[in-house]
Amino acid sequence: MRAVLRRGRLLGPGGRPGGPCAAPPLVVDLRSDTVTRPCPAMRRAMARATVGDDDYGEDPAVNELQRRAAGILGMESALFVPTATMANLIAVMCHCQRRGAQLLLGRDSHLHLYEHGGAAQVAGVHSQALPDLPDGTLDLEQLELTLREARGSRYHPRPELVCLENTHSSAGGRALPLAHLGQVRGLADRFGLRVHMDGARLMNAAVAQRVQPARIARHCDSVSLCFSKGLGAPCGAVLAGSSAFIEEAWRVRKLLGGGMRQAGVLAAAAALGLRRAEETLRRDHEHARSFARGIHALDSPLCTINLAAVETNIVMVNVQGAWPSPAELCDRLSAVSEEEEAETGRAVSVLLLPWSARAVRAVWHRDVSAQDTELARRKMEFVARKCQEELALGLHPTPPGA
């Protein structure tokens, strides 16, 4: 159903394709903050960008973006790269130059789960995944125990790097506490490790904690920052660190095929997103909290929300019971019907992402307004009520052993 809607087709009554006169539903896309499109101002900035060959260091827009990003992050230098995944891999390769070196990170982190094992495939680095706590932090006792066991051992891999994720996507966009960052930094210094932060949504953390991004990055040797999520650019990220680190990172970027030429058209979009970051992200956070409060107030046996966990632009909706599953709930939310339109006066397709066996994820971004947020809440209320009615009629009996 969601795929059909994304291709611009409609389903009419009974699931049949709608006719040529059928009014398209309003689509509220909450699958991710990566679905944003460049706004008109961003497109104008891209069209007007003064460009040069960035591989020669001659693109003015790229150079300015790198200087500005380094300053915001409190680092000596920064490097513009196509994606945050590449930025993270470059960091691993620069920090862990001995094959078989060990990288310590959270088992639910993006770098561990969703970047195709680049640390192993490309860098030859062994990753040891440690337990993530519910708020996205690492279990510091386990981290210290792991480092103690490795120290002086002839059998353990040599740990060289700790990677953190901020905000932590799988934990629901939680911002890592500053005190925790300081504790990780202290352990890393004691055992001679470096610290890299996957800061794809670091600006969200800074806005939520009301601190400058450099206040967060100060605990790290390197940090990545993505422009194509909440900042709304079509693509691009930066990797920041010391001047010597970025000099080596340039060489690794070239190795990975990330050297771009007239990349100023992309840097111009990223720079505009960076300038507007605080205003944009603060609004996204407000909309996410508004939605979370609305769903919590439904007091539905179908879905629940931990309000304390909604810190930034991500909301995890916990799905209760044996039916519907998260995927089935997402299908219901994306589908439109005559009954819904007759009852609510509007056909709305809400796109969410089935995140786990018992949860769906909703992510706010620049293209979702306060009105869209309210329509998404109403659609969730409508779907939850219809599912409860079907359960009460015995249309979906509980499977044995559920």
Side-chain angles (χ1 to χ4, degrees):
M1 180 80 70
R2 295 193 301 276
V4 172
L5 286 168
R6 287 199 295 273
R7 290 196 297 270
R9 294 175 57 196
L10 291 173
L11 295 184
R16 298 185 301 275
C21 296
L26 173 70
V27 177
V28 181
D29 195 340
L30 300 173
R31 291 169 298 160
S32 177
D33 46 8
T34 61
V35 301
T36 57
R37 295 185 175 92
C39 64
M42 197 170 279
R43 292 180 184 271
R44 289 194 295 271
M46 295 170 72
R48 297 169 182 169
T50 303
V51 300
D53 192 325
D54 178 50
D55 224 34
Y56 294 158
E58 296 175 354
D59 191 298
V62 171
N63 292 339
E64 176 56 29
L65 174 64
Q66 291 174 159
R67 283 192 294 269
R68 189 157 185 271
I72 288 173
L73 296 171
M75 297 290 185
E76 290 180 354
S77 192
L79 182 69
F80 187 50
V81 298
T83 67
T85 294
M86 182 180 285
N88 291 334
L89 179 56
I90 291 172
V92 171
M93 294 176 71
C94 288
H95 288 308
C96 302
Q97 297 190 357
R98 178 194 292 116
R99 291 190 66 81
Q102 188 177 57
L103 157 67
L104 302 171
L105 75 177
R107 66 186 177 196
D108 295 326
S109 66
H110 193 280
L111 201 157
H112 182 58
L113 292 178
Y114 303 113
E115 299 186 7
H116 279 276
Q121 288 203 70
V122 182
V125 171
H126 169 70
S127 297
Q128 179 158 345
L130 303 176
D132 295 282
L133 300 179
D135 63 354
T137 59
L138 291 177
D139 184 328
L140 294 179
E141 290 185 3
Q142 185 63 51
L143 174 60
E144 183 172 3
L145 176 61
T146 302
L147 295 175
R148 286 188 183 280
E149 290 177 342
R151 172 181 276 182
S153 170
R154 299 173 61 185
Y155 302 99
H156 285 76
R158 293 178 177 175
E160 295 189 354
L161 180 65
V162 177
C163 282
L164 304 172
E165 182 182 341
N166 199 13
T167 64
H168 197 292
S169 176
S170 293
R174 304 292 292 270
L176 302 187
L178 298 176
H180 179 75
L181 300 180
Q183 290 171 311
V184 172
R185 176 79 264 174
L187 279 175
D189 289 344
R190 193 193 319 168
F191 288 93
L193 277 69
R194 291 168 291 279
V195 178
H196 170 69
M197 178 178 289
D198 173 3
R201 296 185 175 93
L202 183 145
M203 298 300 291
N204 291 88
V207 169
Q209 294 175 327
R210 300 182 181 274
V211 298
Q212 294 299 315
R215 178 69 180 83
I216 297 173
R218 65 187 287 187
H219 300 286
C220 307
D221 297 285
S222 61
V223 59
S224 61
L225 174 64
C226 185
F227 297 121
S228 63
K229 292 185 172 69
L231 303 188
C235 66
V238 287
L239 176 63
S242 69
S243 296
F245 172 83
I246 294 301
E247 182 68 24
E248 181 64 20
W250 187 95
R251 300 174 68 87
V252 178
R253 182 186 70 171
K254 189 68 175 175
L255 164 69
L256 297 176
M260 297 178 285
R261 300 299 178 174
Q262 289 71 36
V265 292
L266 301 176
L272 184 63
L274 196 57
R275 284 198 296 273
R276 298 179 173 179
E278 183 170 357
E279 174 190 356
T280 302
L281 300 181
R282 195 172 300 284
R283 183 172 61 245
D284 292 345
H285 296 181
E286 291 171 356
H287 292 164
R289 284 191 292 269
S290 174
F291 176 84
R293 287 193 296 266
I295 302 305
H296 181 74
L298 294 179
D299 196 24
S300 169
L302 179 72
C303 52
T304 63
I305 285 179
N306 178 7
L307 288 178
V310 182
E311 296 179 355
T312 57
N313 65 322
I314 299 178
V315 176
M316 293 293 190
V317 181
N318 302 308
V319 183
Q320 310 295 314
W323 183 90
S325 68
E328 289 167 331
L329 178 60
C330 288
D331 284 341
R332 291 290 187 110
L333 289 166
S334 68
V336 296
S337 67
E338 289 183 338
E339 180 183 7
E340 173 196 353
E341 190 167 5
E343 182 173 323
T344 65
R346 187 157 198 179
V348 180
S349 173
V350 179
L351 306 184
L352 272 66
L353 191 68
W355 186 255
S356 69
R358 301 310 321 159
V360 300
R361 187 186 78 168
V363 186
W364 269 258
H365 50 82
R366 186 187 60 198
D367 294 346
V368 179
S369 67
Q371 181 184 20
D372 294 334
T373 301
E374 174 59 15
L375 290 173
R377 184 202 66 78
R378 292 179 187 175
K379 182 60 177 276
M380 180 69 84
E381 180 180 10
F382 173 82
V383 168
R385 179 164 48 79
K386 299 306 294 183
C387 288
Q388 288 174 235
E389 291 173 0
E390 292 179 25
L391 286 169
L393 292 172
L395 300 180
H396 303 279
T398 302

